[in-house]
Structure formats: C-alpha cells, structure tokens
Amino acid sequence: MVSSLFIRWATLLQQQTERPAYLRIADFIAEGITTGELPSRYRLPPLRDLAETLSLNYTTVTRGYAEARRRGLIDSRPGLGSFIRTKASSVSVTPMSNYEMTMNAPVEPAGSVIEEALRTGALNLFSNTDIQGLLRYQDFGGSADDKAAAMLWMNKKLTLTDESEVLVCAGIHNALVGIMTLLKRKKGAVCVSNLIYPGMKAIASHLEIKLKAVLCDEYGPDPAAFEALCRAGEISALYINPTLHNPTTLTIPAFRRRELAEVCTRYNISIIEDDAYAALTEDKIPAFAELVPSLTWYITGMSKCFGPGLRIAFLKGPDNQAIARLSGVLRALTIMSSPLTNALARQWINDGTADRMLNEIKSEAKIRQNLASTWLSGYEYQADSNGYHIWLLLPKMINSNSSDVAAKLREKGISAVSGIAFCTDNKPVEALRLCLGGSQTRQQCEDRLKILSEMLADPIFFSSMAI
C-alpha cells in the first residue's frame, strides 16, 4: 500500500536540513498517520529494509523507530515488527496546552442558543420517532425522508428534483472509497491537482489506483495540460475539489470550470466533484454537476460545515444506472449509513437548525479570518473569508522544510499540517495548512495565532530545535 510513501520519504531526506534524519523518520510516521497513509495496525517495514530504501544506516532507522515509540506513534514487538498504534496521535508526547488548531474542524459557535437548538431538535426527534425502527436495517442509500432532506441541503448549490439520483452515505470519505473502487474497473489514472485532500491519496494508494498530477495555476488545473493528458489516453477520471480547495482554499472560478468541463466532455472523462465546503460560500458558481451532469459524481456533506461527528454525505450520480452500480459497491463496504445519524441530520435540516448553525459558523469564521489577517499580516498566505483554513507559505528566512516546521509547531501545541501531506507530484510546497476552527474560543484562537506569528518571526527558534 505505501511503498510509494517510503520512496517519497527517501526523496525528502535528500533535501538539506539541520534536523537529524532519525527525527525526520518519526516526523514522517506522524505525518502518514495524519493523512491516513499509515492506518491503524499497519506493519512498518523491517529496519534493514527501510534503511536500504532510505539510503540510511541501520542505527539511524533504529533511532527513528525509537523516537516514534517515544511519541506514542508505534508499538514494536520482538519477532513481529513495528506497527502503527491503534490510537496513534500525530502529536508529540511533549506536554502542551489543552487546545490546538485542529486539522479540519469547523469553528464552534459560542453561546447557548445554538446548543439549545441542537438539543431541542434531537429531543424532538427521539420523542416522536420509532427508536426501534432506527436500530433496524434500512434500505441502502437512505430512506425517502432522508433523501428529501439531502436534496434540500444540496439545493443550496444544485437544482435536484429526482430522489433516485441521490444517495445518503456514511461520510464523504466513504463515498470517495466507493467511487474509486468503481472506477478501478476502468483503465487509466485519476487526474488530480498537485495538492489534494490527503485522504484521497490514501484511498488511491490502498486501491492501487495511479494519481496523475496536472499542472496548476492561480485558477486551478490548467485546461491545456489536462487535455494533453487526456489526449494521450492516460486519464479515466478527474478528481476536483473546486470550492475552498483543500489545502489552498482556492475556489475555482466559473470560466475555468467551464474549460475543464469542456475537456471532460470531449474525452468522456468522469468527474469526481468533492464539494465538501460548498455550503460555506455564498458564491453562485456553477458546479461541475450542472455543467456536465452525465459525467459527474457530486459529493457534499455536513461534517465540514456542521461538525466532524456528523458523518453523513449526500451524493448525486451521473445517472440511475451509475447510482445502482455504486450502491452495490458501497453496500459491500458499509452495509448502510447509520439510520440514527441520518435521522439527526434530517431533523436539523428540516427544523432549520442546520441553517442557523451554518450561518453562525460562517459569521465566526469571518471574525477569525480578520484576526488572522492581523497576526499574519507580514506573511504570505491564502485564505477565504468564508472558510476557516489558512494556507501559509513558509518565510524564506526559515531554514527548515515544512515537515520539520510542522513537527516543531506540534511540539508547541499547534497542530500544523505540512504541505508534504497534500503533494501528488513529488515537488512538495514549503507551506502549512492551519485551521482556525476546533473547540477553542475566539480568544484562544487569537492567542494561538500570536504564538504562531512570534515563532515564524524568529528563525533561530526553528534552527535551535533541530537537534
């Protein structure tokens, strides 16, 4: 599954840095856990095999595994090898504060009004619903009521009238696994940006599907470069995250979406449109599912704009036949999405709580982005006022790569994610993805931004922690 991951480690180790190689091995393991490329209980290569792959001596790799054990990332057993821990964390065991900038969590609106609305909706649901019925097997893809609520949510960006086009799934990641499993039957690679959602990399690696990075500019994938790949017969599908792109926060403009859609139409290329953050924006930009509905798998959900515990996704397929094929794949993978989760989502959508929560999140995100603009005013970064992420380019004066910097920030309690985690073309960007969300208060968020600003302003800090 991850042989390509270790080759990437070898490439990164060739880059000059003051951080010792054994510490970087532990950093790489932590990063792999964060991205999902090193899943729970995964057996790491034997020490001598990894030493050969990384062109390091046996002692250095042994120290790297020992450091990973010290951080609580792996377990080692004589005769059995080293394994990723079941409850591994990408954060060092170094003591830290009780809050952090988490990787991908929405801001949580303060105050009791929203919390009371959530609680009231849940109580109303369980007071007026057949609880035993929610514990039974349900039709795959959601009930008619579930699909009606899904269409209400999806109609923020699309116009849907036929519930047979819609599936309710157990999260966007689950839907992506199903679609990629289905696409594996076709020949060719999946075309992606040079930076993508790390979970997609893990899915492709697990299914042994090749990802082909395409040249990108400030508007997204370059249509001419994409068409060249299609013309060569290398591509079977395009994976695109067009709104508040993970990790760069870019929203692809309408003209670029149309250009890419035209290429897909000419070459009959399937489109996987991961629109996880769509509900956060007010932009009226056409989705690929509107531009080329016969080729597009459109996925959105509620976890990125409501809360990560609400694992639910809404999917529209190219046609009923394609939906039926995907249903068969997802049924084999997960049986069904949780009726309890579906019912809660349905309740909150129908009674208006979901919209109220969404509006509060967007309002708070704007405030925190304003705070970020103050504390990071001297640095180059990308962000969208509708979102709660920052794509921060490392200052050139910092003589460390993004993986090293991310590791050092985590040691201080800031859960930064290195640009390496998102890279698909073996040309890692020296940048960090940071989140203004999570459970911390607005004040705690500002405190964390202040610490980050002070650390970035002091390159000696990073070099002093290299050994």
Side-chain angles (χ1 to χ4, degrees):
M1 167 184 165
V2 291
S3 58
S4 61
L5 177 63
F6 301 134
I7 293 171
R8 190 164 78 240
W9 290 4
T11 300
L12 293 170
L13 283 168
Q14 293 173 8
Q15 299 176 4
Q16 295 298 318
T17 174
E18 295 182 10
R19 192 165 175 81
Y22 81 92
L23 289 179
R24 298 190 69 192
I25 290 172
D27 295 343
F28 293 154
I29 291 172
E31 207 76 61
I33 293 169
T34 298
T35 64
E37 292 175 285
L38 291 176
S40 174
R41 303 311 303 160
Y42 179 83
R43 185 177 185 275
L44 292 165
L47 292 167
R48 294 191 187 280
D49 290 353
L50 186 59
E52 181 178 355
T53 299
L54 301 182
S55 298
L56 296 173
N57 61 52
Y58 177 84
T59 302
T60 298
V61 176
T62 300
R63 290 184 70 191
Y65 277 19
E67 174 64 16
R69 283 195 301 274
R70 187 191 73 80
R71 298 186 193 181
L73 303 174
I74 67 173
D75 288 321
S76 298
R77 298 180 183 179
L80 295 177
S82 297
F83 299 82
I84 301 299
R85 292 190 66 180
T86 301
K87 295 183 179 180
S89 168
S90 63
V91 180
S92 164
V93 295
T94 303
M96 61 183 65
S97 63
N98 60 359
Y99 61 89
E100 61 185 46
M101 293 168 117
T102 50
M103 178 180 178
N104 211 12
V107 297
E108 296 183 3
S112 59
V113 175
I114 285 294
E115 186 174 339
E116 185 61 30
L118 292 169
R119 184 178 292 107
T120 299
L123 290 173
N124 287 340
L125 169 69
F126 293 121
S127 297
N128 299 288
T129 302
D130 176 13
I131 299 299
Q132 290 292 340
L134 296 180
L135 300 178
R136 300 184 188 118
Y137 285 110
Q138 308 286 327
D139 290 338
F140 182 83
S143 67
D145 289 340
D146 295 333
K147 291 185 177 183
M151 291 169 65
L152 187 61
W153 188 259
M154 295 173 79
N155 278 338
K156 296 176 185 296
K157 297 299 176 182
L158 299 176
T159 301
L160 300 176
T161 57
D162 185 357
E163 71 173 35
S164 66
E165 298 177 340
V166 175
L167 290 178
V168 179
C169 308
I172 291 176
H173 190 92
N174 169 253
L176 289 173
V177 172
I179 293 170
M180 290 288 280
T181 301
L182 192 61
L183 289 175
K184 187 178 181 181
R185 302 170 187 174
K186 300 174 66 175
K187 294 181 180 179
V190 174
C191 185
V192 296
S193 301
N194 61 319
L195 297 164
I196 66 167
Y197 164 52
M200 189 62 170
K201 291 170 58 178
I203 293 168
S205 179
H206 176 69
L207 295 174
E208 298 183 339
I209 295 174
K210 184 178 180 180
L211 298 180
K212 187 73 174 179
V214 66
L215 180 69
C216 296
D217 60 22
E218 67 270 30
Y219 303 116
D222 179 79
F226 176 49
E227 183 163 13
L229 295 176
C230 295
R231 189 184 304 116
E234 298 183 42
I235 305 301
S236 63
L238 170 67
Y239 169 76
I240 197 88
N241 176 204
T243 306
L244 301 181
H245 172 252
N246 182 356
T248 67
T249 77
L250 169 71
T251 292
I252 298 176
F255 79 88
R256 179 54 57 85
R257 297 188 189 204
R258 291 191 177 93
E259 291 171 341
L260 293 170
E262 288 171 3
V263 176
C264 290
T265 301
R266 279 198 295 275
Y267 294 91
N268 196 35
I269 302 297
S270 297
I271 301 171
I272 307 170
E273 185 172 13
D274 181 352
D275 223 6
Y277 301 95
L280 289 171
T281 69
E282 305 296 334
D283 298 328
K284 302 299 182 183
I285 303 176
F288 284 87
E290 293 178 299
L291 298 172
V292 273
S294 63
L295 292 174
T296 304
W297 295 97
Y298 179 89
I299 320 160
T300 191
M302 300 182 73
S303 63
K304 300 298 188 298
C305 50
F306 200 92
L310 196 63
R311 305 305 302 169
I312 189 168
F314 307 135
L315 181 149
K316 177 191 178 298
D319 53 50
N320 289 345
Q321 187 176 12
I323 282 288
R325 289 196 300 270
L326 180 63
S327 295
V329 171
L330 287 173
R331 187 179 291 109
L333 291 171
T334 57
I335 309 280
M336 62 181 182
S337 55
S338 166
L340 283 165
T341 301
N342 294 355
L344 273 174
R346 183 179 72 231
Q347 173 71 31
W348 286 329
I349 290 172
N350 290 338
D351 70 13
T353 300
D355 280 335
R356 292 174 63 187
M357 180 77 164
L358 181 61
N359 289 335
E360 290 291 333
I361 287 173
K362 290 192 289 187
S363 176
E364 181 65 21
K366 284 181 170 62
I367 293 171
R368 296 193 185 194
Q369 288 289 359
N370 285 334
L371 292 174
S373 69
T374 297
W375 289 106
L376 300 178
S377 61
Y379 303 99
E380 186 178 357
Y381 72 92
Q382 296 169 222
D384 189 300
S385 62
N386 293 300
Y388 44 83
H389 286 98
I390 289 173
W391 180 241
L392 176 69
L393 301 180
L394 289 184
K396 290 188 168 98
M397 63 182 179
I398 294 180
N399 188 27
S400 298
N401 64 39
S402 62
S403 181
D404 296 338
V405 173
K408 293 165 189 175
L409 292 177
R410 286 195 293 266
E411 290 170 4
K412 289 291 184 179
I414 300 173
S415 185
V417 182
S418 164
I420 294 169
F422 308 91
C423 177
T424 60
D425 61 0
N426 290 321
K427 299 175 183 177
V429 180
E430 298 301 347
L432 302 171
R433 179 166 164 92
L434 303 167
C435 182
L436 303 178
S439 59
Q440 76 266 31
T441 65
R442 188 184 302 169
Q443 183 59 54
Q444 289 171 328
C445 176
E446 183 170 18
D447 292 343
R448 202 51 44 181
L449 285 166
K450 180 181 178 182
I451 292 171
L452 175 63
S453 177
E454 291 171 348
M455 292 170 70
L456 292 172
D458 184 8
I460 296 176
F461 169 82
F462 291 103
S463 61
S464 68
M465 293 186 64
I467 56 174

